[in-house]
Amino acid sequence: MGRDGRETVARGVRLRGAAQAVVDDHARAVEAVRAALGPIHDAVAGRELDAIPVARLQDVTEGRLRLGSIEKSGFRTVGAVLEAGPYRLRQIPGVGQRTVDQMLAAARRISDAVHETVAVTIDVDRPEPGTTALVTALQVLVEAGPDARRAVGRATALTERLGPLLLDAKPAAGRLGMLLAGQDRRARALAAVTDIRSLVDEAERAGLPELFAQTSVDLLRGPSSDVAAWVDFELRSAEYYGVLAEISGRRPDAAAAEGFLPEEIAERVRTQQLDDSHRRVSLRGYQAFGARFALAQRKVMLGDEMGLGKTIQAIAVLAHLAAEGQTHFMVVCPASVLVNWTREIEARSALVVRVLHGPDRHHAFADWKGRGGVAVTTFEALRGFPEPGGGEVGLLVVDEAHSVKNPKAQRSRAVALWTGRCERALFMTGTPMENRVVEFRSLVRMLDAEVADSLGERNALLGSVAFRKAVAPVYLRRNQDDVLTELPSLQQTDEWEELSASDEEAYREAVRAGNFMAMRRAAYMRPEGSAKLDRLGEIVREAGENGLKTVVFSNFKDVLGVVREALAAGPAAGTPLFGPLTGSVAPARRQRIVDDFAAVPGPAVLLGQIQAAGVGLNMQAASVVVLCEPQIKPTVEHQAVARAHRMGQVRPVRVHRLLATGGVDERMVRILAEKTRLFDAYARRSAVAEATPDAVDVSDADLARRIVEEEQARLGMTGGESAASG
């Protein structure tokens, strides 16, 4: 044994020490969140209890309590009863000890229920010391990311395995140990050293010592400042709320989170492993379940309500299959979201993306066939590609799957052909399908003909839960209210679109003229081929089909006119359209329009010029906001979004900013991001900044001139008219 054994034991001790350090560092970070969360949670629960009338104690005791004298003595809420305690309650005339005991027991039952159900929401507009402490504590875990979760899991398993082995191997750690140990003890020590060597070698091959060291550094590194933590929270609120839900133990209703699946299917899904080694984003519990569902059931449709992260769930499935050795994947989507898919996969995973679009798509297809990766293409392009061989494609993802509900359409036939040739398929749609059995059946038939044949109108008539049970082998849908226990208050998405040929032509004309404002609105000036307009229509349609109201903002009156005509003729046909609200509309009239918009019981669309409608009006009836183009002043965007995202908003607000790649939008976003974002974030929260957005924004003229010159150079044009024209 000798030196080799001692060195092996020493390596095991060092590895176990590093693993235990990660576990301890993570535990301290979690405890810091709990310590900050506790007082806030208690305060929220206290306010809730102070709003519950004392009469509710009758419900808990089935009417056995007499509360007249209690209320007359000033104890009108459950919170007041709990605060009073037994001594003060006993002083009330006519109230005996038995009544006090029963009353307090009932109050505590209500208190326990309130503490279990109330959710802590973080108000980014009113940071307080308590919420700041919570956000900074959460940032440590959010910044550490999925690698920390992976490291803690591996570290926990290693410490559990190495602990007993190191104890058995103790005699081998010193020169005299083996000599003094008995025969059985020596045999156990030798066996333990062999096992330790194997474990340590395996850990080093997997890079675990480096992972543990980096994770410990990440968990011990605090935020650079409170402001930095708040800025990060604004950018990644969903991730913060996900960590908060996990630590607080507040889980959504299990049946709702699992889409009311039958127990036998739900159990099979729960036991499905989910490898995260190729993934760069953490999943919420319902998202992990959705990914496992797709893996366990092989060919499925994910119908989660918009805003629940269907794309992230699809990426989790792709990452898992890549970790298992699959090399080729295909994502099919509308052209309007092709760029978004590309960017999301690159940002959220370690997978290679290959875009199969445009005139070179067949060359790109051949390259993908040879080298593998995630191919991202459109429905139209898919029709021109040769069908895959059996088992060649690890997963076919079909986004906006309701687009292929007509079985006679060419795009539907192409998708059906590919689905049949792939072992796994994941269809995605945010459109609720319960009341569209004929359309739904055609989609299900591509996934499972037997389920499609068994699906009848009667299933839908029995209600959504019964319908989902009937299609459980292939369909999973969850709603925001069911699964987001701490609702992210604001979700922002940049929707990157590639300009169509007509868009590009209009854009080049504006650049040649040096007309900055025309460049900004060029993507809407030829509506029949507008990529942005197509994507806006999809967002409005999906919002409407989910019963949500939408506000559409633009800086330009003519863009709003184009949008109104397009929506009225297509995606929003039959949906009430209000506005546009412009500077020429009297303030009183503007408010009446907003009130009428809010009064509509179902979906509706409100159009507004961002400078006129984005200030002074409350639009909290809307939960979807669309910005037609980026604004020169970031504060203008923040103020406009704040019209919907404010007190009284009962649902999370989803903001979509429509951006075109490669031109003025991309340059504006990049240039504005070059400014000191921490200063902007601090200034945004000041009364001065809210009143005077010009205080923290770059000059309009300087920005316009710079972008026009850069675009003219990029497109090989000489300077045209004044950059400030238009």
Side-chain angles (χ1 to χ4, degrees):
M1 176 58 65
R3 177 181 297 176
D4 183 58
R6 291 195 296 275
E7 289 180 354
T8 297
V9 173
R11 291 171 66 204
V13 169
R14 287 195 298 273
L15 181 60
R16 187 177 188 277
Q20 189 61 54
V22 168
V23 173
D24 293 343
D25 293 338
H26 183 263
R28 279 191 290 272
V30 169
E31 184 53 39
V33 172
R34 289 198 176 113
L37 175 63
I40 301 173
H41 184 264
D42 289 344
V44 174
R47 289 193 293 271
E48 186 80 10
L49 291 167
D50 285 338
I52 299 175
V54 74
R56 285 286 302 279
L57 298 176
Q58 291 277 26
D59 300 336
V60 179
T61 61
E62 298 179 349
R64 292 193 300 270
L65 283 175
R66 296 179 180 178
L67 300 171
S69 56
I70 302 294
E71 292 183 271
K72 288 177 183 177
S73 299
F75 300 101
R76 293 186 173 84
T77 69
V78 173
V81 168
L82 287 166
E83 186 179 357
Y87 178 76
R88 287 180 61 195
L89 294 174
R90 187 66 181 81
Q91 307 308 308
I92 300 172
V95 175
Q97 188 63 48
R98 179 181 175 83
T99 299
V100 169
D101 291 344
Q102 289 179 331
M103 184 163 43
L104 285 174
R108 291 188 189 105
R109 285 179 61 187
I110 293 177
S111 177
D112 290 344
V114 167
H115 276 82
E116 288 179 7
T117 56
V118 295
V120 169
T121 55
I122 300 171
D123 190 344
V124 72
D125 294 318
R126 283 186 285 276
E128 298 173 349
T131 52
T132 297
L134 178 58
V135 169
T136 54
L138 285 168
Q139 191 193 22
V140 173
L141 292 165
V142 172
E143 280 290 319
D147 282 346
R149 188 191 307 270
R150 190 179 307 119
V152 171
R154 299 293 293 272
T156 301
L158 266 177
T159 55
E160 291 175 354
R161 294 183 65 186
L162 280 172
L165 290 174
L166 288 171
L167 192 61
D168 286 345
K170 193 172 182 180
R175 294 179 184 275
L176 297 177
M178 293 296 279
L179 294 175
L180 298 176
Q183 184 175 353
D184 290 344
R185 188 81 173 88
R186 282 198 299 272
R188 287 203 307 274
L190 291 172
V193 168
T194 300
D195 290 343
I196 291 169
R197 183 182 297 111
S198 176
L199 272 177
V200 173
D201 288 346
E202 181 184 346
E204 289 178 349
R205 284 194 299 271
L208 293 188
E210 294 82 4
L211 176 62
F212 294 162
Q214 184 60 55
T215 301
S216 284
V217 170
D218 293 340
L219 290 170
L220 293 172
R221 181 193 299 127
S224 56
S225 69
D226 293 349
V227 174
W230 277 108
V231 170
D232 196 55
F233 172 76
E234 286 190 71
L235 295 174
R236 298 190 287 174
S237 62
E239 293 181 47
Y240 278 74
Y241 277 113
V243 173
L244 184 61
E246 184 176 337
I247 292 175
S248 66
R250 288 206 67 243
R251 306 287 185 181
D253 175 75
E258 295 176 354
F260 303 101
L261 293 178
E263 180 57 29
E264 64 272 15
I265 295 178
E267 181 58 30
R268 181 162 63 251
V269 173
R270 293 183 204 118
T271 58
Q272 167 68 49
Q273 295 298 309
L274 185 60
D275 192 301
D276 64 354
S277 57
H278 287 57
R279 179 164 30 94
R280 293 176 180 150
V281 62
S282 297
L283 302 179
R284 299 194 72 158
Y286 74 87
Q287 291 173 334
F289 185 88
R292 289 189 172 96
F293 175 77
L295 290 166
Q297 297 299 100
R298 304 185 76 82
K299 290 187 177 182
V300 301
M301 187 185 312
L302 183 60
D304 286 346
E305 187 178 9
M306 64 187 301
L308 291 183
K310 292 187 289 294
T311 302
I312 289 175
Q313 294 174 67
I315 291 172
V317 178
L318 291 167
H320 173 93
L321 293 172
E324 285 192 337
Q326 296 284 348
T327 57
H328 290 70
F329 309 97
M330 177 68 75
V331 174
V332 189
C333 61
S336 58
V337 295
L338 187 143
V339 176
N340 291 323
W341 264 103
T342 302
R343 296 190 178 210
E344 283 292 294
I345 294 170
E346 290 175 340
R348 310 287 188 178
S349 76
L351 305 179
V352 176
V353 185
R354 306 194 190 281
V355 179
L356 314 185
H357 185 52
D360 294 329
R361 60 185 179 275
H362 291 288
H363 294 297
F365 181 84
D367 183 56
W368 167 73
K369 288 269 287 186
R371 299 167 63 189
V374 183
V376 182
T377 193
T378 64
F379 290 108
E380 289 69 25
L382 185 72
R383 290 161 42 196
F385 298 144
E387 64 185 81
E392 179 183 351
V393 177
L395 176 69
L396 171 69
V397 178
V398 181
D399 193 13
E400 306 286 352
H402 49 269
S403 301
V404 293
K405 61 182 180 290
N406 179 4
K408 297 180 180 179
Q410 288 184 322
R411 60 165 55 183
S412 303
R413 291 174 178 172
V415 168
L417 180 64
W418 274 72
T419 303
R421 301 289 292 176
C422 295
E423 293 184 5
R424 297 178 183 273
L426 173 57
F427 287 14
M428 298 163 54
T429 175
T431 301
M433 303 297 293
E434 284 86 338
N435 298 320
R436 305 178 179 191
V437 177
V438 174
E439 296 176 359
F440 186 78
R441 189 188 291 118
S442 68
L443 291 174
V444 172
R445 188 169 300 283
M446 299 184 200
L447 303 168
D448 190 318
E450 188 175 334
V451 173
D453 290 339
S454 68
L455 186 60
E457 300 286 346
R458 184 173 178 274
N459 299 113
L461 296 175
L462 291 174
S464 62
V465 174
F467 179 84
R468 293 181 198 178
K469 189 173 183 179
V471 297
V474 297
Y475 182 59
L476 177 67
R477 177 176 172 85
R478 281 78 56 89
N479 299 317
Q480 286 184 339
D481 291 343
D482 290 333
V483 299
L484 293 183
T485 53
E486 289 90 5
L487 288 173
S489 56
L490 187 64
Q491 303 169 59
Q492 304 191 59
T493 303
D494 281 347
E495 302 275 359
W496 289 96
E497 317 299 333
E498 287 188 347
L499 292 177
S500 67
S502 58
D503 291 338
E504 184 72 33
E505 187 178 350
Y507 182 71
R508 283 177 170 271
E509 289 177 4
V511 173
R512 187 174 291 106
N515 190 327
F516 179 64
M517 292 302 181
M519 289 162 59
R520 292 181 62 201
R521 60 183 188 268
Y524 297 93
M525 291 301 96
R526 301 185 180 180
E528 65 283 351
S530 169
K532 278 193 179 184
L533 204 55
D534 287 347
R535 180 57 183 151
L536 191 155
E538 291 170 0
I539 294 168
V540 170
R541 176 195 54 74
E542 185 170 336
E545 290 175 338
N546 283 282
L548 306 178
K549 289 182 168 65
T550 303
V551 175
V552 179
F553 286 119
S554 175
N555 185 69
F556 306 103
K557 291 182 183 179
D558 52 355
V559 168
L560 292 174
V562 169
V563 169
R564 183 181 177 92
E565 288 185 14
L567 291 179
T575 300
L577 275 168
F578 297 87
L581 297 177
T582 66
S584 60
V585 178
R589 174 63 180 156
R590 290 183 211 169
Q591 188 59 61
R592 282 198 299 274
I593 292 174
V594 172
D595 291 343
D596 291 343
F597 167 72
V600 173
V605 180
L606 174 64
L607 308 175
Q609 196 171 9
I610 198 163
Q611 294 280 14
V615 178
L617 295 173
N618 297 336
M619 303 172 181
Q620 62 263 37
S623 49
V624 177
V625 176
V626 180
L627 302 172
C628 289
E629 69 283 320
Q631 302 306 306
I632 296 175
K633 298 177 173 63
T635 44
V636 172
E637 289 188 9
H638 299 315
Q639 289 175 340
V641 171
R643 297 307 101 205
H645 171 228
R646 61 189 301 108
M647 189 70 70
Q649 172 60 255
V650 295
R651 295 177 62 89
V653 176
R654 182 87 181 188
V655 180
H656 301 264
R657 184 167 63 160
L658 301 181
L659 303 168
T661 59
V664 61
D665 290 358
E666 193 155 340
R667 292 191 182 277
M668 284 180 67
V669 169
R670 188 180 68 250
I671 290 172
L672 293 172
E674 290 170 1
K675 299 162 58 180
T676 308
R677 74 171 185 171
L678 294 185
F679 172 75
D680 279 358
Y682 177 79
R684 267 207 318 274
R685 294 192 181 90
S686 72
V688 173
E690 288 298 322
T692 56
D694 291 337
V696 295
D697 287 305
V698 295
S699 160
D700 292 13
D702 289 345
L703 180 68
R705 187 177 301 107
R706 178 177 171 182
I707 291 176
V708 169
E709 290 173 353
E710 289 180 355
E711 283 298 280
Q712 288 178 337
R714 180 178 71 88
L715 297 175
M717 301 175 182
T718 58
E721 299 174 14
S722 167
S725 68

